[in-house]
Amino acid sequence: MTTELGLRESKKQETRQLISDCATRLFIEQGFEQTTIAEIATAARVAKKTVTNYFPRKEDLALDHHEAFTQGLAHAVAERAPGEEPLTALERAFRTTLAEHSPVVGFTGPEFARMVADSPTLSARLLELHNQREEALATALASITPDPAPAITPRAAAALIAAADRLLFRRIQELTLAGHADDEIEAVLTPEADHVFPLLTASLGNRPTTATS
């Protein structure tokens, strides 16, 4: 039974990835708005309903890492090392994903970045995901904020951190669209991060939302 369930889950993941890959190829070739769900289903050799079962929103066919993206900052706070301050954990997480050239922080390749930039729908969805990322971070910070602190405190801290996070994400996208290779982008972003994170530290210091629980 365990083996059967494992194979079934593996097959689902393969199907999901196939649909996503076919969708991305068509979006890049034709444009996001111009590509239909029916065309994606045909390319993936599945039923149209299968596509919508795996991806209820068309935008999520393109922005397939949305769950990891929206929860990324919150996870860095929740899973930080014992005694580690949240802001330190967030900086460490960013530098790790930067070194990995992760799509979660904006490494998508020039064709994909152009597709998103040219699509009003995808640009709006990306903004929505950034807002969800900030909200998730605010929730994580609220869970470690002492009760006497004002209710707005974790939300204010999350807003500052998320603003810096969006700036770094946009910089990666800008450099990608300008034709820079991933290694070159990492080389540019490393000293820029060296500038941004101390600014956050100066703003937040050791206030409740950035102190260890």
Side-chain angles (χ1 to χ4, degrees):
M1 180 64 73
T2 301
T3 301
E4 182 179 345
L5 289 173
L7 290 173
R8 187 177 304 170
E9 184 60 29
S10 178
K11 178 62 176 177
K12 287 182 179 179
Q13 290 299 322
E14 289 176 3
T15 301
R16 189 181 193 282
Q17 189 62 52
L18 172 63
I19 294 170
S20 177
D21 290 345
C22 289
T24 299
R25 176 175 58 79
L26 290 173
F27 291 154
I28 290 174
E29 291 175 355
Q30 303 177 175
F32 178 81
E33 272 76 15
Q34 292 73 28
T35 302
T36 66
I37 297 297
E39 289 175 321
I40 295 168
T42 298
R45 297 183 180 181
V46 298
K48 183 178 177 181
K49 186 176 181 180
T50 301
V51 175
T52 56
N53 282 341
Y54 280 99
F55 300 93
R57 296 183 61 160
K58 182 182 174 184
E59 299 95 311
D60 292 339
L61 280 158
L63 304 174
D64 194 21
H65 297 279
H66 61 279
E67 291 182 4
F69 180 76
T70 57
Q71 297 300 316
L73 299 178
H75 282 169
V77 171
E79 298 171 5
R80 68 193 190 283
E84 185 177 33
E85 294 186 5
L87 192 54
T88 301
L90 288 165
E91 180 176 358
R92 176 172 52 79
F94 173 78
R95 293 185 185 279
T96 297
T97 50
L98 179 66
E100 293 173 348
H101 301 165
S102 170
V104 173
V105 290
F107 287 96
T108 59
E111 291 182 333
F112 192 94
R114 175 53 58 193
M115 175 194 73
V116 174
D118 288 345
S119 168
T121 303
L122 288 179
S123 295
R125 176 57 173 160
L126 185 57
L127 177 59
E128 181 182 352
L129 293 176
H130 273 292
N131 290 338
Q132 291 177 12
R133 184 170 166 90
E134 179 182 334
E135 291 170 7
L137 174 61
T139 299
L141 292 175
S143 70
I144 60 171
T145 301
D147 291 337
I152 201 172
T153 302
R155 293 171 59 187
L160 290 172
I161 295 167
D165 181 71
R166 283 192 292 270
L167 174 62
L168 294 170
F169 185 97
R170 285 198 299 269
R171 284 290 290 142
I172 292 173
Q173 291 281 283
E174 289 170 3
L175 292 168
T176 298
L177 290 171
H180 293 277
D182 287 353
D183 287 341
E184 295 173 335
I185 295 172
E186 180 187 351
V188 171
L189 263 290
T190 296
E192 292 188 347
D194 291 343
H195 180 72
V196 169
F197 282 101
L199 290 177
L200 287 175
T201 301
S203 298
L204 297 171
N206 289 319
R207 294 177 184 177
T209 49
T210 55
T212 55
S213 59

